[in-house]
Amino acid sequence: MLGAGRMKLETFGLLGMLLVLMHTAAACEFGPSPYGSSGIVCRMTKPAALLLNQETAQVVQTAFRNAKFPNITGERSMRLLGKVAYELTNIQVKELSLEQSEVELREADAIHIAIRNVTASFQGTLTYGYAGAWFLRLFHAVDFEIESSIDLQINIDLMCQKDQVAADASDCYLTFHKLTLHLQGDKEPGWLKQLFTDFISFTLKFVLRREVCSEINSLAQMLANFIHELAANFVQDKGIGVDISLASAPLITASYVESYHKGLVWYQNQSAAFGDSGFSPALLPASRMLYFWFSQHVLSSLASAAFLDQRLQGTITGHQLQALFGAAQSEAQRQAVQKIFQGSSYNDSVARVWSLAQPRISLQPQGAVVESLVAAEISIFPAGEQPRVVLYMEKEVTVTIRAAYADKKLLLHPSEPRIEFRVLRCTADPSGSDPSLRSFLQSLISQAGIPEVTSRIEEALTSLMNSKGLHLFEIRNPEIITRQGYVLVQLDFSFPRHLLLDFLQDKL
């Protein structure tokens, strides 16, 4: 093989991202509804494909520089000279340049990549010998240099294997515009050079075609698996994950590629199916580079899994408590704070907040409407006394949240919530006859409590996404848009080149 390094070529930047998005129906069975079982949909448009294709030049050069080329041998019978044999060894790339790379999305589930004017020079050692008439035997070794100019065309067919993308890049062609052999630095024509150019030319072209295309085909599947693993890792954390296996055949047009994924949330190796997701390709525009469509079911299932995994709870202590309750402005509010804490300092107090039931999420044009039954309690730890709960409450909270992404951080903007107390017990007001306490708590929850919880969720989700590598991408003008029953994320981006180069270095 042209070395594990071969022109692992071109497909790289472009192919790696595109292949994970799609497959053909040839090897997988799908339900009767083309999109109904899709919880997540991804659309990559032609501008994104063009951008990724720009990365191929650097990847091609990296692959060539790290290639370990095989020895090339051959022999031929010559009149008077007898049998002439040759071997090209120690082949290395001396120079390499790539002038142009183009990509085209075709309707028949194919990606066409054309790489033009790949100029490469190779150097090594030519050992040749011939057994002539009258038992004359001569053997020589000379340095050589090969100058070549090549066009490469690849048609990539997409298939589904084990519910994920597989690629067939065997439809691969190399066109040689130039293939010149120079011996010992002599670039003038001579009988020896002409003799071996004729011999070697056919063999070298055959080897390049075979090995280059074989490596491209192999790398195409490696890249598909690599990107699939990255994506699968991105949507799982500990015991919670999302099934991104393919739910339907892709849609490929001249302007975009669209893929459909099941989006079933699993928790402790269990997941639940859902009905028609309501997706239609008409829901997505094509003006931006990348789109992700999520059904309401996916987000609701994630919230339920987080609840079951006891992630929807938190503790507030010390200065955080002081920041919450120290904002009391009026005399009535300050008196309410005194009643709650009974003279204890914030450093001797702890507040716990947790969800009593699975949150209900409804996606609407104004945002994600979240309904949750929440409990909160405050305990104090007086010196020399047993800890005691001084406040306990249960409340039904309904809040609409709009999300955004900026400066590599997730931002959540809650609206004015609707709060309904179910239970409210305070040791300083056991009869519940003090309306100012309820009023203060309602104001505190609205103005400080929910923003505090939202801020913590922002930090946790941003940290989780960055741990998966999202911060490595340069995301431009991201928008998170909610509609009836789904949320749409649309953005432009720059691909982190080093991810592909690191992948290549591991494989070379």
Side-chain angles (χ1 to χ4, degrees), residues 89-339:
T89 60
N90 303 320
I91 304 174
Q92 299 177 4
V93 175
K94 182 179 179 182
E95 295 179 358
L96 177 70
S97 65
L98 188 154
E99 182 174 314
Q100 184 180 7
S101 179
E102 300 174 351
V103 62
E104 180 182 357
L105 305 179
R106 295 181 174 176
E107 297 286 340
D109 293 345
I111 304 168
H112 177 73
I113 298 175
I115 298 180
R116 308 187 189 283
N117 296 333
V118 178
T119 302
S121 66
F122 307 86
Q123 61 184 11
T125 301
L126 168 64
T127 301
Y128 66 93
Y130 51 91
W134 307 289
F135 304 101
L136 178 63
R137 301 177 66 84
L138 297 173
F139 300 93
H140 299 277
V142 297
D143 294 334
F144 73 86
E145 180 180 333
I146 299 173
E147 295 180 354
S148 66
S149 179
I150 307 168
D151 285 351
L152 174 64
Q153 296 188 33
I154 312 165
N155 293 309
I156 304 162
D157 292 325
L158 302 171
M159 301 169 290
C160 178
Q161 293 180 354
K162 298 180 180 179
D163 290 332
Q164 71 179 67
V165 171
D168 179 8
S170 58
D171 188 3
C172 169
Y173 301 93
L174 272 67
T175 302
F176 292 86
H177 300 295
K178 176 182 178 181
L179 188 67
T180 306
L181 174 69
H182 303 297
L183 300 178
Q184 294 181 321
D186 180 10
K187 300 183 185 293
E188 295 299 323
W191 76 270
L192 185 62
K193 170 187 167 184
Q194 186 62 50
L195 173 66
F196 283 102
T197 296
D198 292 341
F199 284 3
I200 293 170
S201 175
F202 174 80
T203 304
L204 185 60
K205 290 178 181 179
F206 175 78
V207 168
L208 286 175
R209 286 192 185 101
R210 181 190 65 196
E211 301 299 337
V212 169
C213 290
S214 175
E215 288 294 334
I216 290 173
N217 196 21
S218 175
L219 184 67
Q221 188 56 59
M222 283 194 295
L223 280 169
N225 292 335
F226 171 67
I227 300 300
H228 180 86
E229 290 172 2
L230 284 179
N233 179 63
F234 190 86
V235 292
Q236 68 176 0
D237 179 59
K238 299 177 182 177
I240 300 175
V242 180
D243 180 2
I244 60 169
S245 58
L246 297 165
S248 183
L251 177 66
I252 301 181
T253 72
S255 57
Y256 63 82
V257 177
E258 194 163 85
S259 65
Y260 313 96
H261 307 268
K262 294 178 181 178
L264 299 176
V265 175
W266 51 262
Y267 173 66
Q268 295 184 345
N269 296 323
Q270 296 183 351
S271 63
F274 60 94
D276 190 348
S277 69
F279 176 78
S280 166
L283 295 175
L284 301 187
S287 57
R288 305 292 295 276
M289 294 173 66
L290 193 61
Y291 297 86
F292 293 100
W293 182 95
F294 298 90
S295 75
Q296 178 174 299
H297 176 82
V298 174
L299 299 186
S300 295
S301 298
L302 282 171
S304 296
F307 168 78
L308 294 173
D309 204 44
Q310 299 182 354
R311 301 193 188 192
L312 303 182
Q313 54 184 292
T315 301
I316 305 173
T317 60
H319 69 279
Q320 296 171 326
L321 267 179
Q322 185 173 8
L324 283 174
F325 288 89
Q329 299 294 325
S330 68
E331 182 62 28
Q333 291 176 334
R334 287 191 290 270
Q335 289 179 1
V337 172
Q338 288 295 321
K339 285 184 178 181

Side-chain angles (χ1 to χ4, degrees), residues 10 44 60 93 111 148 186 194 213 274 361 368 387-388 390 427 430 465 480:
E10 13 298 318
M44 177 179 287
V60 169
V93 175
I111 304 168
S148 66
D186 180 10
Q194 186 62 50
C213 290
F274 60 94
I361 297 178
R388 60 178 183 270
V390 295
T427 56
M465 291 188 296
I480 302 176

Side-chain angles (χ1 to χ4, degrees), residues 268-453:
Q268 295 184 345
N269 296 323
Q270 296 183 351
S271 63
F274 60 94
D276 190 348
S277 69
F279 176 78
S280 166
L283 295 175
L284 301 187
S287 57
R288 305 292 295 276
M289 294 173 66
L290 193 61
Y291 297 86
F292 293 100
W293 182 95
F294 298 90
S295 75
Q296 178 174 299
H297 176 82
V298 174
L299 299 186
S300 295
S301 298
L302 282 171
S304 296
F307 168 78
L308 294 173
D309 204 44
Q310 299 182 354
R311 301 193 188 192
L312 303 182
Q313 54 184 292
T315 301
I316 305 173
T317 60
H319 69 279
Q320 296 171 326
L321 267 179
Q322 185 173 8
L324 283 174
F325 288 89
Q329 299 294 325
S330 68
E331 182 62 28
Q333 291 176 334
R334 287 191 290 270
Q335 289 179 1
V337 172
Q338 288 295 321
K339 285 184 178 181
I340 294 172
F341 289 92
Q342 302 178 14
S344 296
S345 70
Y346 295 115
N347 289 331
D348 296 328
S349 307
V350 173
R352 287 200 314 120
V353 181
W354 68 96
S355 183
L356 292 168
Q358 298 181 12
R360 298 179 297 278
I361 297 178
S362 174
L363 297 176
Q364 304 294 334
Q366 64 270 27
V369 181
V370 181
E371 299 177 75
S372 184
L373 181 60
V374 179
E377 70 176 20
I378 297 176
S379 300
I380 62 174
F381 300 81
E385 300 180 24
Q386 290 295 320
R388 60 178 183 270
V389 176
V390 295
L391 178 71
Y392 176 83
M393 54 184 169
E394 296 177 4
K395 51 199 178 293
E396 184 80 38
V397 179
T398 302
V399 61
T400 300
I401 299 176
R402 297 192 67 86
Y405 187 82
D407 300 324
K408 300 186 183 297
K409 295 180 181 179
L410 178 67
L411 306 174
L412 301 177
H413 303 287
S415 66
E416 183 69 24
R418 186 174 71 251
I419 301 169
E420 179 183 344
F421 286 97
R422 299 290 183 86
V423 176
L424 177 58
R425 296 194 297 267
C426 180
T427 56
D429 182 30
S431 64
S433 59
D434 187 352
S436 63
L437 181 63
R438 183 181 294 263
S439 175
F440 166 70
L441 290 173
Q442 184 154 354
S443 176
L444 179 69
I445 294 168
S446 300
Q447 299 176 17
I450 289 179
E452 170 69 19
V453 172

